[in-house]
Amino acid sequence: MTKRIDFQTNPSMYRHWRVDYDGDVANLTMDVDENGGLFDGYQLKLNSYDLGVDIELADVVQRMRFEHPEVKVVVMRSGKDKVFCAGANIRMLGGASHAHKVNFCKFTNETRNTFEAAEADSGQKYVAAVKGACAGGGYELALACNHIMLVDDSTSSVALPEVPLLAVLPGTGGLTRVTDKRKVRRDLADIFCSLEEGIKGKRAKQWRLVDEVVATSKFDETVAERAKEFAAASDKATGTGIALNPLKKTIDDNGSIHYSLVEVDVDREGRKVTITLNGPDRDVPASTEALEAEGDQSWMLRLAREFDDAILELRLNEMELGLVVFRTQGDPEAVLAHEAFMLANKDHWLAGEILQYWKRVLKRVDVTSRSLVALVENGSCYAGFLAELLWASDRSYMMDGEFDGDNRPVATVTLSDGNFGPFPMGNDLTRLETRFLGEPEAVGTLKGKLGEAMEAEDAMEAGLVTEAFDDIDWEDEIRIFMEERASFSPDAMTGMEANLRFAGPETMETRIFGRLTAWQNWIFNRPNATGTDGALQRYGTGVRGDYNMQRV
Amino acid sequence: MIDLINVSYDTQIPNNVGLSSDKRVLKALEKWHPGYINWWNDLIPQNFQKSMVYLRTAVSVDPKGWAKFDYVKMPEYRWGVLLAPEVEGRVIPCGEHMGQPAWQEVPGEYRNMLKRLIVIQGDTEPGSVEQQRFLGLTAPSLYDMRNLFQVNVEEGRHLWAMVYLLQKYFGKDGREEADDLLVRSSGSEEAPRMLGAFNEETPDWLSFFMFTYFTDRDGKMQLESLAQSGFDPLSRTCRFMLTEEAHHMFVGETGVGRTIEKTCEVMNANGITDPYDIDKIRDLGVIDLPTIQKKLNLHYTLSLDLFGQEVSTNAANAFNAGIKGRYMEHRLKDDHQLKNDTYPVWDFVDGKLVRHEVPALTAINMRLRDDYTRDAAGGVGRWNKIIEKAGIEFELKLPHESFHRQIGVFSGKTFDPDGNLLSGEEYDKRKNDWLPTHADGDFIQSLMKPVTEPGQFASWIAPPKVGIDNKPGDFEYVKLYMA
Ligand SMILES: [Fe+2]
Ligand SMILES: [Fe+2]
């Protein structure tokens, strides 16, 4: 699987999903094209999915928020007769490299989290209307919806058959949401997760696996009714959507990517990539009307889209670039002004969505399994939400004092209200709260420095950057750090960083990306699942996987 | 006093690294320099600081004229930063990067390993000066006093050499490590020197000679293997340090030799033929040969401990990384990577000492220690020639490497100097025959009377055959400051 994966799509290109808009309700139909797999060698039977299917879903969810702010309820259903969704395609998983599997799971997890959070974030509630078999990743799709309706036809069931059938885990949030979100009793969950055929009808409701069980004859009607009810109860801010047009980007032969505001500079020999985010190239919108009129061209939205795309490109297409270097260049004052406009208008649907989008993009950075380092150079604009990158990174280095022959403004870091709430991490704390877990009072002290452009000494004193180096040391220290980082085992780096990044309380999200994912990735490396006689390879042959029976 | 404010580095510090145009290191050295001067001033007794000492100062790396002799007050000694000339096209001589161009900058991957090696080497340099700080007060002659101070200032220069590398190539961390080299101090409870042998006392001049013969020779072996480093600045630094180190071992070898010579001479003059007639010999104001053997046993074995564990992953890593080679790596005829080679290493099996083969890569320390033992045996042979020539029946011997060890496979076990395993009880009974006792120390100490007349020597030591810089026998090597 070495072909370049493109994360950009649009409704005219969809092969697997359909959306029908009905006022404040959108009907989202999953109807996977068997022959539309992203790679050769498998057919997407029974509404099973691969990364290509999920890229479309992510696009649906994103457009729902920006292009269809009028939608308050999204009903997810199947376009196939006897099956809701059979989950991730097994043949695809069997043939995929470990790295692809891991990144596939991460991306699908992020998409699930996104539509699950859409209700709380912007009042778009996803409802699963389940008819037919809803198994594995299929049930995980439903689990991420905030209301599950199951038809009571004595056949349709919900199931997490991964363990008995495939010797892997329901790793797209399944195990976590059953207990943490649905709050299924632990022993019942244990039964449920070892039961190939799943649970149907009343018992599914009793065990809290679904919210409603509805007779076949009344199903469509009840689903429609429920959708209307939910829509009526929502006080979502609405408006007329904007179009998300294709990003303007060019890719060089060496893999470097150029967007309008983001530069991705590949250094293959150094196994690193530098992502430069450029500050505002246009004024703050004069009003929310002006913001809407700018459509997808407003600075903060364009930057988010380009940055998001860049991260995804690196994750799936550039596995060998282990070190990501963040840079920013621009006017910090202008950054703050744009952010302040969005924060002041956060109840406006579009400003709100842009802020929410930045929250998601920054979370995507948090869970990116690359060594992340932020360089605060002269001329940079780490202010407000862009300063979050300093604390999303594993380390940050700042220029200190005058640099020979460098006439850019001296490096600064500026805090804003944006650093104290609107962009929490997966652990529900802000990055500053997470950073200063051992000295919570430091966060309060920092609030007193809002708007203050802190130079290296102050930023070091405040604990906002890892190290500050002057003209004399900068180049060498940075070079040596990068060389050292590139020399470590990528696996150990991934493990170390993932552990250090998420201090503090566990949430469903941290449990999914930390605990569930780590166990799944371990199992993905074990012969019982992925060996030549393992369950994934043998799936469909009628012969069970040959297990090594030693408990580890 | 040196003018600390307007230090002119290109004149005060001889160097061939373009210090005056290297803003970064210049700044770091300016910060470090006063601390160094304070360290020196607090260390050496004041009247010596003010005395004029006939010292050689390294002024270039030209093999013909690298040193120049003159009277100088030690605090004004021109501690220089001198690297052996760059060898055109030098490549990494060993390990997995063998054959690649030698690194001119620190490779990030090995930064910490390199830094650790340099810090350990750097820590020994001031350590020995600290150990020897009071010896000037009991120097057996002005000639010897001058040699002591020469060794001291050059160890100081070696510290500079390591500090230069730390400051030039290791950024902020390197500067902190450079500062810490002045914080640790020999024998300190709070912050001792890193290696055991550098926290032992050097209580008398025989110890000093033994130390410079045996322990400086460990330094030589370490420098030899660092001179093979793929990190070129380290290699060049160590190559130049080795030219100075030779003199330190000369001081040790001739010092012990002159002590032996005097003992034999006095024995013969007084008709004593039995070297074990200790009391009689001591009464004549010279050190008996069995006591010299005990001192040798002590210093040799302490020095062996400096080579670390026989089988060592650290050493293997450093070799494989190409940052530390073997003794005379360039003359060895093998793959320089030790992919399939083995090397015999001492082990202790069923109460018996055996040597068995282990992967050569892990036995780098053992090999270097064997090279050291061969190197150290040379001088012992020359000492025995002196005894033989005097017609006395006695032979000095390097003890077996299992004897009196604190590190490695032999540590914690009691062997005699021939390598026989003894019970603890047996060992305790006899150890006074093999290692210096307090009484031995007291006796040696009683001989440590300063002699400050030019051309005169203490009772227990013979004059040298030739003077330093070919000066005549009564040359005033130190013009003592009289308050
Ligand atoms: Fe030295
Ligand atoms: Fe020395």
Side-chain angles (χ1 to χ4, degrees):
Chain A
M1 292 191 175
T2 47
K3 88 179 207 195
R4 190 166 192 107
I5 296 165
D6 189 356
F7 289 85
Q8 287 202 80
T9 184
N10 64 68
S12 73
M13 296 166 71
Y14 291 172
R15 298 184 71 170
H16 311 296
W17 298 87
R18 227 175 30 242
V19 196
D20 302 298
Y21 296 95
D22 178 12
D24 49 12
V25 175
N27 290 294
L28 171 59
T29 304
M30 183 182 200
D31 194 358
V32 176
D33 176 354
E34 281 191 1
N35 301 312
L38 196 54
F39 301 100
D40 295 334
Y42 55 86
Q43 280 195 306
L44 296 172
K45 291 189 171 156
L46 298 171
N47 253 5
S48 62
Y49 60 84
D50 67 355
L51 182 60
V53 176
D54 233 80
I55 288 173
E56 284 185 16
L57 175 59
D59 190 68
V60 167
V61 174
Q62 178 78 338
R63 287 181 196 281
M64 199 68 78
R65 299 179 72 160
F66 283 95
E67 299 191 342
H68 297 280
E70 76 283 1
V71 170
K72 296 174 173 171
V73 174
V74 181
V75 180
M76 189 187 290
R77 42 164 69 84
S78 164
K80 310 265 189 242
D81 253 357
K82 296 200 160 59
V83 61
F84 177 77
C85 167
N89 188 277
I90 309 305
R91 301 240 174 276
M92 178 276 294
L93 283 179
S97 70
H98 180 71
H100 181 84
K101 281 202 285 287
V102 168
N103 282 291
F104 163 71
C105 289
K106 185 174 285 174
F107 181 78
T108 55
N109 264 315
E110 288 172 323
T111 307
R112 309 293 170 279
N113 286 350
T114 300
F115 67 75
E116 178 172 57
E119 181 177 6
D121 285 356
S122 54
Q124 270 178 351
K125 184 183 184 105
Y126 282 68
V127 174
V130 180
K131 258 183 177 173
C134 174
Y139 180 50
E140 290 177 316
L141 271 175
L143 277 171
C145 294
N146 291 348
H147 192 78
I148 308 177
M149 306 175 76
L150 173 65
V151 70
D152 192 7
D153 59 2
S154 80
T155 312
S156 297
S157 65
V158 295
L160 290 178
E162 281 88 343
V163 168
L165 206 58
L166 304 169
V168 299
L169 304 180
T172 314
L175 285 182
T176 315
R177 287 198 175 88
V178 164
T179 51
D180 289 34
K181 181 180 186 185
R182 307 294 315 181
K183 301 192 165 45
V184 176
R185 217 174 69 195
R186 165 257 178 106
D187 51 350
L188 300 180
D190 187 287
I191 294 175
F192 176 63
C193 295
S194 10
L195 211 58
E196 209 176 303
E197 69 272 23
I199 306 254
K200 58 194 179 195
K202 302 266 177 315
R203 175 175 286 178
K205 164 95 167 72
Q206 263 170 19
W207 286 17
R208 277 203 289 276
L209 296 166
V210 302
D211 295 287
E212 291 189 65
V213 184
V214 185
T216 318
S217 56
K218 291 193 180 152
F219 189 71
D220 293 343
E221 184 190 323
T222 314
V223 169
E225 213 171 277
R226 207 62 80 232
K228 281 291 162 203
E229 274 170 37
F230 288 140
S234 163
D235 56 358
K236 179 185 187 318
T238 63
T240 312
I242 62 166
L244 296 179
N245 296 298
L247 296 176
K248 291 190 183 68
K249 69 174 182 186
T250 55
I251 304 178
D252 295 349
D253 288 343
N254 79 340
S256 294
I257 312 176
H258 314 281
Y259 301 86
S260 77
L261 292 166
V262 175
E263 290 292 322
V264 178
D265 220 333
V266 169
D267 169 7
R268 218 158 281 286
E269 204 187 325
R271 291 198 290 279
K272 72 168 195 283
V273 56
T274 304
I275 302 184
T276 304
L277 307 184
N278 284 299
D281 58 352
R282 54 172 63 207
D283 291 339
V284 177
S287 62
T288 51
E289 291 74 23
L291 176 67
E292 289 185 37
E294 283 185 300
D296 62 1
Q297 291 303 298
S298 68
W299 174 72
M300 266 182 83
L301 177 55
R302 195 156 31 103
L303 186 67
R305 291 184 72 206
E306 293 177 355
F307 187 31
D308 200 20
D309 190 66
I311 297 280
L312 290 172
E313 282 271 4
L314 293 177
R315 274 201 203 160
L316 270 296
N317 294 324
E318 295 287 1
M319 307 290 190
E320 310 252 307
L321 303 177
L323 176 62
V324 177
V325 181
F326 294 126
R327 294 175 68 243
T328 61
Q329 286 289 293
D331 176 6
E333 290 291 330
V335 171
L336 291 176
H338 277 262
E339 184 194 57
F341 172 83
M342 298 295 173
L343 289 173
N345 292 291
K346 66 178 191 309
D347 294 332
H348 178 264
W349 78 269
L350 181 53
E353 289 297 356
I354 291 171
L355 291 170
Q356 299 292 351
Y357 187 24
W358 264 106
K359 175 172 83 176
R360 296 196 293 279
V361 174
L362 289 167
K363 282 184 179 184
R364 188 149 6 238
V365 172
D366 290 333
V367 296
T368 293
S369 301
R370 307 292 164 96
S371 295
L372 307 176
V373 59
L375 299 186
V376 189
E377 301 170 351
N378 292 338
S380 65
C381 53
Y382 288 98
F385 72 103
L386 284 182
E388 293 286 312
L389 287 173
L390 301 175
W391 318 309
S393 295
D394 300 300
R395 296 195 198 176
S396 53
Y397 294 106
M398 185 162 183
M399 284 187 171
D400 185 359
E402 298 281 313
F403 276 60
D404 231 18
D406 183 350
N407 53 11
R408 295 173 298 178
V410 68
T412 58
V413 174
T414 317
L415 300 179
S416 75
D417 288 325
N419 304 117
F420 296 90
F423 309 109
M425 298 173 64
N427 60 9
D428 270 351
L429 301 180
T430 64
R431 284 179 190 76
L432 283 178
E433 285 167 340
T434 306
R435 187 175 181 83
F436 295 109
L437 214 53
E439 37 186 331
E441 66 283 358
V443 179
T445 311
L446 286 171
K447 268 197 185 135
K449 298 190 188 271
L450 283 189
E452 199 178 294
M454 285 184 264
E455 294 187 11
E457 200 179 322
D458 292 341
M460 275 301 287
E461 167 82 28
L464 297 178
V465 293
T466 311
E467 286 274 16
F469 296 118
D470 59 18
D471 191 13
I472 286 167
D473 286 332
W474 176 262
E475 216 171 301
D476 233 29
E477 292 282 357
I478 301 298
R479 174 186 66 80
I480 283 179
F481 161 75
M482 288 177 180
E483 284 181 12
E484 182 192 64
R485 202 71 174 188
S487 74
F488 289 135
S489 153
D491 300 337
M493 279 300 99
T494 294
M496 180 185 95
E497 290 155 1
N499 276 282
L500 299 180
R501 283 179 196 175
F502 300 95
E506 285 266 41
T507 62
M508 202 161 74
E509 220 169 300
T510 62
R511 273 166 43 73
I512 288 171
F513 286 118
R515 201 182 297 232
L516 179 58
T517 303
W519 282 113
Q520 180 77 310
N521 293 347
W522 176 68
I523 290 171
F524 276 163
N525 261 317
R526 298 280 300 167
N528 289 345
T530 52
T532 41
D533 298 321
L536 281 179
Q537 290 301 323
R538 284 198 175 170
Y539 177 73
T541 63
V543 188
R544 200 196 65 171
D546 186 13
Y547 299 151
N548 175 342
M549 285 306 176
Q550 186 186 35
R551 289 294 283 249
V552 177
Chain B
M1 277 306 285
I2 285 178
D3 179 354
L4 283 184
I5 315 283
N6 301 304
V7 183
S8 160
Y9 277 84
D10 262 4
T11 55
Q12 289 293 348
I13 307 292
N15 74 86
N16 66 342
V17 293
L19 265 189
S20 61
S21 59
D22 193 340
K23 200 167 73 162
R24 168 206 169 95
V25 180
L26 193 59
K27 183 180 120 183
L29 280 177
E30 276 166 356
K31 271 198 173 154
W32 188 79
H33 187 220
Y36 174 80
I37 292 295
N38 286 342
W39 170 79
W40 185 272
N41 278 334
D42 291 348
L43 202 60
I44 308 288
Q46 274 308 306
N47 62 318
F48 296 131
Q49 306 272 16
K50 291 176 183 159
S51 300
M52 299 296 282
V53 187
Y54 192 69
L55 293 176
R56 68 175 186 190
T57 301
V59 288
S60 87
V61 291
D62 182 347
K64 279 177 247 151
W66 70 273
K68 137 176 169 291
F69 286 87
D70 203 353
Y71 284 106
V72 58
K73 287 184 192 154
M74 282 189 283
E76 289 163 19
Y77 181 78
R78 289 156 43 123
W79 283 285
V81 177
L82 295 161
L83 274 61
E86 196 168 334
V87 175
E88 194 83 32
R90 182 169 180 263
V91 295
I92 297 165
C94 59
E96 62 172 288
H97 304 288
M98 189 181 77
Q100 296 170 14
W103 298 296
Q104 297 304 328
E105 293 289 335
V106 176
E109 186 175 350
Y110 303 128
R111 174 190 220 193
N112 290 324
M113 203 194 288
L114 261 170
K115 193 181 66 191
R116 198 163 55 232
L117 285 175
I118 293 172
V119 167
I120 290 174
Q121 182 63 38
D123 195 64
T124 65
E125 310 292 357
S128 63
V129 185
E130 289 160 356
Q131 290 171 294
Q132 298 156 9
R133 58 188 298 188
F134 294 120
L135 288 179
L137 299 169
T138 56
S141 70
L142 292 180
Y143 168 87
D144 289 291
M145 185 188 282
R146 176 259 164 217
N147 283 351
L148 168 73
F149 292 152
Q150 183 73 61
V151 171
N152 288 167
V153 293
E154 286 179 354
E155 299 303 4
R157 203 201 69 76
H158 292 175
L159 172 60
W160 272 84
M162 293 297 120
V163 163
Y164 168 74
L165 290 177
L166 287 171
Q167 294 186 333
K168 172 139 178 89
Y169 296 101
F170 296 88
K172 227 179 193 177
D173 290 356
R175 292 196 295 273
E176 273 166 29
E177 291 289 1
D179 291 344
D180 284 351
L181 287 172
L182 294 178
V183 171
R184 285 186 294 272
S185 122
S186 178
S188 152
E189 299 252 314
E190 294 277 327
R193 290 291 165 194
M194 297 169 88
L195 299 175
F198 292 86
N199 287 305
E200 301 280 334
E201 269 182 77
T202 308
D204 57 66
W205 276 79
L206 184 54
S207 300
F208 169 65
F209 293 141
M210 289 291 182
F211 186 97
T212 42
Y213 185 78
F214 285 110
T215 307
D216 277 53
R217 189 174 307 275
D218 159 73
K220 167 188 163 183
M221 301 311 281
Q222 301 300 337
L223 292 177
E224 286 278 8
S225 41
L226 293 175
Q228 303 291 339
S229 178
F231 177 48
D232 207 41
L234 176 61
S235 164
R236 293 171 55 203
T237 305
C238 291
R239 269 181 275 149
F240 188 74
M241 287 163 75
L242 281 165
T243 60
E244 292 159 315
E245 208 60 61
H247 177 66
H248 306 180
M249 282 170 294
F250 162 86
V251 168
E253 182 176 334
T254 54
V256 175
R258 286 159 53 215
T259 308
I260 292 168
E261 189 186 334
K262 188 65 185 276
T263 303
C264 293
E265 184 193 311
V266 169
M267 281 170 70
N268 283 338
N270 290 275
I272 304 171
T273 51
D274 180 5
Y276 293 94
D277 205 345
I278 291 172
D279 290 343
K280 233 166 154 186
I281 296 169
R282 286 187 176 183
D283 284 347
L284 296 164
V286 292
I287 304 169
D288 53 284
L289 298 177
T291 298
I292 293 175
Q293 174 71 55
K294 287 198 224 176
K295 294 288 262 192
L296 180 159
N297 289 349
L298 176 70
H299 286 273
Y300 173 65
T301 54
L302 284 175
S303 300
L304 288 180
D305 278 344
L306 291 171
F307 289 86
Q309 302 286 339
E310 288 85 353
V311 171
S312 158
T313 331
N314 280 343
N317 290 342
F319 178 82
N320 196 47
I323 66 175
K324 191 175 175 183
R326 291 168 295 174
Y327 183 54
M328 300 287 164
E329 183 74 44
H330 54 292
R331 289 201 201 151
L332 298 173
K333 299 259 175 288
D334 59 17
D335 68 352
H336 300 283
Q337 294 186 311
L338 303 176
K339 282 194 174 131
N340 302 303
D341 294 5
T342 60
Y343 191 85
V345 160
W346 281 112
D347 201 358
F348 188 73
V349 179
D350 298 334
K352 287 208 174 58
L353 284 178
V354 288
R355 274 190 101 139
H356 63 85
E357 300 287 327
V358 302
L361 197 52
T362 65
I364 294 284
N365 283 349
M366 181 76 205
R367 183 188 181 109
L368 189 63
R369 204 175 82 195
D370 286 343
D371 288 330
Y372 168 81
T373 297
R374 271 189 291 277
D375 201 56
V380 179
R382 287 186 285 277
W383 295 334
N384 282 328
K385 283 264 162 32
I386 300 172
I387 304 172
E388 206 184 298
K389 218 168 130 195
I392 291 167
E393 270 188 46
F394 190 86
E395 192 188 352
L396 290 166
K397 264 195 277 188
L398 291 178
H400 191 269
E401 58 203 302
S402 59
F403 173 68
H404 186 241
R405 296 297 306 284
Q406 316 296 323
I407 285 175
V409 289
F410 307 118
S411 67
K413 302 203 172 61
T414 43
F415 291 90
D416 71 12
D418 293 325
N420 302 306
L421 185 67
L422 304 181
S423 71
E425 194 188 350
E426 179 89 356
Y427 178 85
D428 282 348
K429 249 190 259 166
R430 301 185 53 194
K431 83 167 188 230
N432 286 350
D433 298 344
W434 304 323
L435 291 169
T437 62
H438 288 291
D440 295 332
D442 290 347
F443 166 67
I444 296 173
Q445 207 53 254
S446 74
L447 299 180
M448 295 297 126
K449 297 275 160 36
V451 175
T452 54
E453 285 290 303
Q456 298 299 300
F457 288 81
S459 66
W460 56 274
I461 191 164
K465 301 258 177 308
V466 202
I468 293 295
D469 196 27
N470 286 316
K471 292 294 170 199
D474 59 353
F475 184 72
E476 193 175 7
Y477 288 100
V478 181
K479 291 183 182 165
L480 281 171
Y481 173 83
M482 299 298 170

